[in-house]
Amino acid sequence: MKKILFVLTLAVFNLMLVHAQNSEPALRVDIPIDSIRLSDPFILADKITSTYYMTGTGGRLWKSKDLRKWTGPYKIAQTDPQSWMGSNPMIWAAEIHYYKGKYYYFATFTNKAIRVGDNLERRASHVLVSDKPDGPYVPMKDSVYLPADKLTLDATLWTDTDGKSYMIYCHEWLQNDNGTVEKIELKPDLSGTIGGGKILFLASDSPWSREKEKDGKDRPNKVTDGPWLFRTQTGKLGMLWTSWIYDVYTQGVAYSQSGTLDGPWIQEKEPVNGSNFGHGMLFRTFDGKLLMSIHSHKSINNRTVRIPHLFEVDDSGDKIVVGKAFN
């Protein structure tokens, strides 16, 4: 029953996203970050243009020179209507990565008209490319990065110690009943993938997430969400990721024992920041300060409201420490 209710809630949320993404909102100027409604906020600090670019779920872009006042939203993704995505795909958890002279748009695309598996909407991680940080972002050579029958989401980019670049993504818990974080090698120009995916860890590896079994017993939550890779100043490889503690959206962190993507990944016993925050990422400001971009997750008048927030982070040791809010 809990899974059915979750799917119904997700369907309503999807309908709202479709309406929002198909409409053209008016451009807004000098908007404080806490006045923006945005899930999965990702910020690129682009030194070439001396501008911060924020994107996330919805496929829109915001721009800022100081992280305090933002202008947007701009539409920047141009997908191929003849592809599996269809004419109006939903876009989740978009990220912008500068790599070897170009900008790459990693995002989750959903086509509600195509069903896979147990009557689930086709959803997959994919990559677009642009010569500019504010797009437009367009398709590359490969039309598919991951198997068509596999629900994947929240892809990010990481170059490992072997010099190869990888897509890190989640396999949806709705399909496998125990979400995963996985890696797959990318082609040198990021235009497609090489070989198959490899599981890095399972949702059930979490010591802090919780949900109830049908018999009322506790178990680790099934959800894996929002992976983000980083290295501390001591060289320790870590990964932020998000799940739930019952109905509370919560972010944890794991560290690789080997210092590579292959792990093994050792999960921290406690979440890395406060309750009702998740899907975080790290970036360094133009003056060298390390910040976490993350969204709050709250129910207000029976509506889920997600707002971007920035927190200072200390990465001087083997483990990150999340500090005060950035003002």
Side-chain angles (χ1 to χ4, degrees):
M1 178 59 70
K2 184 177 179 180
K3 184 173 181 178
I4 293 173
L5 289 174
F6 183 90
V7 172
L8 289 174
T9 302
L10 190 63
V12 173
F13 179 65
N14 287 346
L15 287 174
M16 294 172 63
L17 277 179
V18 169
H19 175 74
Q21 293 185 24
N22 288 344
S23 60
E24 289 293 340
L27 195 69
R28 301 163 65 196
V29 178
D30 292 338
I31 306 301
I33 195 169
D34 59 5
S35 295
I36 297 172
R37 300 297 180 262
L38 180 67
S39 301
D40 316 321
F42 176 96
I43 294 177
L44 170 71
D46 185 57
K47 293 181 180 179
I48 297 174
T49 58
S50 299
T51 302
Y52 297 101
Y53 298 91
M54 180 169 66
T55 186
T57 288
R60 308 293 182 176
L61 181 78
W62 293 81
K63 304 178 186 180
S64 175
K65 290 293 186 179
D66 61 5
L67 294 174
R68 291 173 174 84
K69 296 295 180 65
W70 294 82
T71 298
Y74 301 90
K75 185 176 181 180
I76 60 171
Q78 294 183 0
T79 56
D80 178 4
Q82 303 303 314
S83 73
W84 67 266
M85 298 178 192
S87 57
N88 290 299
M90 291 183 293
I91 302 176
W92 291 1
E95 300 185 359
I96 297 172
H97 295 269
Y98 181 71
Y99 182 83
K100 295 183 178 180
K102 290 183 178 292
Y103 296 87
Y104 293 88
Y105 188 82
F106 281 64
T108 304
F109 298 89
T110 300
N111 186 342
K112 295 174 65 65
I114 299 178
R115 300 286 165 162
V116 299
D118 189 19
N119 198 32
L120 298 168
E121 298 164 354
R122 182 168 178 187
R123 179 161 59 248
S125 297
H126 200 85
V127 184
L128 306 177
V129 67
S130 177
D131 292 324
K132 301 186 297 180
D134 53 357
Y137 288 88
V138 298
M140 288 186 282
K141 180 179 178 182
D142 287 15
S143 60
V144 176
Y145 277 70
L146 294 159
D149 60 349
K150 186 173 183 177
L151 297 189
T152 55
L153 69 160
D154 293 357
T156 190
L157 173 66
W158 184 254
T159 300
D160 210 17
T161 55
D162 59 5
K164 297 177 180 178
S165 293
Y166 294 87
M167 175 187 283
I168 313 302
Y169 60 93
C170 298
H171 184 191
E172 179 68 80
W173 70 273
L174 287 169
Q175 190 173 47
N176 62 20
D177 210 41
N178 189 5
T180 65
V181 174
E182 304 184 9
K183 73 167 188 175
I184 191 168
E185 185 181 347
L186 289 162
K187 294 179 178 180
D189 63 355
L190 311 190
S191 65
T193 54
I194 300 171
K198 177 183 177 181
I199 295 175
L200 303 183
F201 61 82
L202 306 169
S204 57
D205 292 339
S206 167
W208 52 265
S209 70
R210 293 286 182 275
E211 66 177 49
K212 292 289 186 183
E213 293 275 22
K214 292 180 180 179
D215 60 8
K217 292 182 180 179
D218 270 16
R219 58 155 284 167
N221 198 279
K222 301 181 182 72
V223 174
T224 50
D225 186 76
W228 173 260
L229 283 296
F230 63 90
R231 282 198 190 276
T232 67
Q233 293 183 39
T234 64
K236 193 79 170 181
L237 178 62
M239 186 191 305
L240 298 171
W241 68 285
T242 301
S243 190
W244 297 80
I245 300 178
Y246 306 119
D247 61 346
V248 179
Y249 198 57
T250 308
Q251 181 175 253
V253 63
Y255 292 94
S256 170
Q257 201 167 54
S258 68
T260 72
L261 283 176
D262 288 330
W265 289 90
I266 309 301
Q267 304 289 335
E268 291 289 278
K269 293 181 179 179
E270 301 294 334
V272 72
N273 55 288
S275 300
N276 283 312
F277 286 95
H279 206 112
M281 57 80 63
L282 304 175
F283 71 98
R284 205 165 290 277
T285 65
F286 297 133
D287 60 1
K289 183 173 293 185
L290 185 65
L291 298 182
M292 175 184 287
S293 174
I294 195 169
H295 74 249
S296 58
H297 181 103
K298 293 184 179 180
S299 179
I300 300 176
N301 297 326
N302 295 318
R303 292 187 62 186
T304 298
V305 177
R306 293 180 171 184
I307 300 172
H309 297 268
L310 300 177
F311 290 93
E312 296 182 7
V313 177
D314 180 359
D315 70 339
S316 60
D318 281 345
K319 297 180 180 181
I320 61 169
V321 178
V322 181
K324 65 181 181 179
F326 174 77
N327 296 312

